Amino acid sequence: MKVQTRIRWWPWAAVALSLVVAFTLSMISPRDDVQGELVRIMYIHVPAAWLAYVAFFMTFVGSLTYLLTKNLRWDRIAAASAEIGVFFTGLTLVLGMIWGKSTWGVWWTWDARLTLTAIMFFVYLGYLALRRTTDDPVARASRASVLGVLGAVQIPIVHFSVVWWRTLHQPPSIVRPDSPAIQEPLMLITLIVGVVAFTIIYISLMIKRIELTHLEDQLTEIEHSTDQPVAGEAVVVPELGARP
Amino acid sequence: MTEWGWVAFAYGVAYGSFFLYAGSIALRINRARQSIERSE
């Protein structure tokens, strides 16, 4: 079978460039009066959390569209986005723990935002595990899409948990009912550039991850095609009447 | 640890994770391509 996808290098270049720009701006941004240099952790923690939402929202869109159209292309988009979302959520949790230890003095506390983010992380890990329960692409897509749609309920709950409940975690930095919490222009610009850079990284990773899903589906198709040996090359049909 | 130490730790974890994850995708793509080409 011919490999139908061609090698694209530009997504990797976009990832590298975005990381360099975000890093440079994060380092030249001013220190905070209260948090000092530790405020720089915000420029990677907040974009990572934001992209986790975006990724899981795309999983919701892909899953819902698959259920409506039964087109496997949408399931591939949902699956690719879920894996990247799990990556960004894991990164958010770890960076949050580092920031928490350096500012609050503890690695973890059972705060509403932290706990709900951890639950979201495990729900989408479950989504990825569910996808591995069968090789049948249609059954896999149907099962995963239901969880992909239901799981999206968590996104607004996690985001507004700091508004709805009294928490140790600070309120949203940008998307909040009143004006943004950051008043210093260069800090706000740095944070917005960080979000844009991480969005470019997300798009680039999506392109490569969808390419991988496409190749894996081709491979599964080859492995399950009728002209392949059933039990491997080592097993041969015994010749009738032959003496051992 | 100093404030800059915590910042360096956080950025090391974040950027290291990006390189590891991007590398794992690239590796899996190459492996899948090779498997498909072998079965041709």
Side-chain angles (χ1 to χ4, degrees):
Chain A
M1 182 180 283
K2 181 88 182 121
V3 181
Q4 290 176 356
T5 53
R6 58 194 169 83
I7 298 169
R8 299 187 188 93
W9 59 270
W10 66 264
W12 299 133
V15 168
L17 189 66
S18 302
L19 287 175
V20 169
V21 170
F23 179 78
T24 308
L25 209 52
S26 301
M27 292 301 123
I28 61 171
S29 187
R31 75 193 300 277
D32 184 57
D33 292 338
V34 178
Q35 297 208 20
E37 308 297 348
L38 295 171
V39 74
R40 298 179 204 287
I41 299 175
M42 177 180 71
Y43 304 131
I44 42 176
H45 174 69
V46 173
W50 186 246
L51 262 297
Y53 295 156
V54 171
F56 293 147
F57 181 71
M58 271 311 293
T59 300
F60 166 75
V61 171
S63 300
L64 186 64
T65 314
Y66 171 76
L67 289 174
L68 295 173
T69 63
K70 301 294 177 192
N71 184 341
L72 283 172
R73 182 187 293 262
W74 288 102
D75 177 60
R76 287 195 195 111
I77 291 172
S81 199
E83 189 186 279
I84 297 169
V86 166
F87 168 75
F88 276 118
T89 311
L91 190 60
T92 304
L93 286 169
V94 173
L95 292 174
M97 287 166 77
I98 295 170
W99 202 7
K101 178 63 181 170
S102 58
T103 53
W104 301 336
V106 289
W107 291 102
W108 183 265
T109 177
W110 294 103
D111 171 272
R113 168 62 76 81
L114 276 65
T115 308
L116 289 168
T117 307
I119 290 171
M120 185 168 75
F121 176 72
F122 286 112
V123 166
Y124 281 95
L125 264 187
Y127 171 93
L128 295 178
L130 181 65
R131 297 190 64 86
R132 300 179 77 91
T133 56
T134 177
D135 277 342
D136 178 4
V138 176
R140 183 178 59 201
S142 301
R143 292 171 192 171
S145 295
V146 174
L147 186 55
V149 170
L150 294 178
V153 172
Q154 299 171 99
I155 301 170
I157 297 174
V158 169
H159 184 73
F160 290 109
S161 59
V162 287
V163 178
W164 295 339
W165 294 292
R166 189 188 297 272
T167 60
L168 182 60
H169 192 284
Q170 67 189 54
S173 303
I174 300 175
V175 180
R176 49 190 285 162
D178 51 359
S179 59
I182 302 162
Q183 300 300 329
E184 166 66 37
L186 188 53
M187 285 176 147
L188 191 59
I189 290 169
T190 305
L191 187 55
I192 292 169
V193 168
V195 170
V196 172
F198 273 47
T199 307
I200 293 169
I201 291 167
Y202 166 74
I203 294 167
S204 305
L205 290 175
M206 273 293 281
I207 290 166
K208 299 306 286 187
R209 190 60 189 78
I210 290 170
E211 182 182 333
L212 174 61
T213 311
H214 187 62
L215 289 169
E216 285 172 343
D217 283 355
Q218 279 186 49
L219 200 56
T220 308
E221 199 179 312
I222 292 167
E223 284 168 355
H224 288 82
S225 61
T226 50
D227 57 340
Q228 293 291 314
V230 177
E233 298 288 349
V235 179
V236 292
V237 179
E239 199 176 321
L240 287 175
R243 290 180 180 276
Chain B
M1 202 188 301
T2 64
E3 288 184 355
W4 275 111
W6 283 111
V7 171
F9 180 36
Y11 276 76
V13 167
Y15 280 58
S17 303
F18 274 125
F19 285 115
L20 283 177
Y21 183 53
S24 87
I25 292 178
L27 210 66
R28 284 185 286 168
I29 287 175
N30 280 344
R31 208 159 45 200
R33 278 182 188 282
Q34 284 169 4
S35 298
I36 291 169
E37 280 162 12
R38 262 201 307 271
S39 62
E40 279 176 1

